[in-house]
């Protein structure tokens, strides 16, 4: 699973993409914060789906618990 630094780098990249998007919307009269948070959420969900897609679809390990753990570890979430 990815290192802490790699996770932070990945999340910062998503935040940067969301910021760039929001900046482009604000120029058109949009609200930055709403555009930023909506885009960031969209990018995080997309990253989750890509992580799930990388799992072996034929593996018996691909149940909801394993998907949860895989996404949790991908983002470095600790309980």
């Amino acid at each position: 699973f990815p290192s802490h630094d790699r996770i932070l780098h990945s999340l910062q990249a998503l935040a940067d993409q969301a910021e760039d998007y929001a900046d482009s919307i604000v120029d058109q009269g949009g609200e930055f914060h709403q555009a930023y948070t909506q885009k960031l959420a969209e990018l995080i969900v997309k990253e989750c789906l890509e992580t799930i897609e990388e799992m072996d679809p034929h593996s018996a390990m691909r149940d909801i618990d394993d998907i949860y753990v895989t996404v949790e570890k991908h983002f470095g979430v600790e309980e």
Side-chain angles (χ1 to χ4, degrees):
F1 289 99
S3 70
H4 181 70
D5 289 340
R6 182 169 172 257
I7 292 166
L8 290 177
H9 180 73
S10 295
L11 290 174
Q12 185 60 53
L14 295 177
D16 291 345
Q17 288 177 46
E19 184 175 357
D20 290 345
Y21 173 78
D23 282 339
S24 72
I25 296 300
V26 169
D27 293 341
Q28 299 171 12
E31 185 178 325
F32 178 86
H33 181 72
Q34 181 179 0
Y36 173 81
T37 54
Q38 183 175 355
K39 187 62 171 183
L40 183 57
E42 177 186 312
L43 292 169
I44 291 171
V45 168
K46 183 178 178 185
E47 184 82 12
C48 288
L49 294 173
E50 288 173 1
T51 300
I52 293 166
E53 286 178 356
E54 290 174 5
M55 296 177 75
D56 181 1
H58 303 292
S59 171
M61 300 284 294
R62 191 176 175 178
D63 66 12
I64 193 66
D65 291 330
D66 292 313
I67 291 171
Y68 178 87
V69 169
T70 299
V71 171
E72 184 179 53
K73 286 181 180 180
H74 179 80
F75 283 102
V77 175
E78 297 177 16
E79 293 186 37

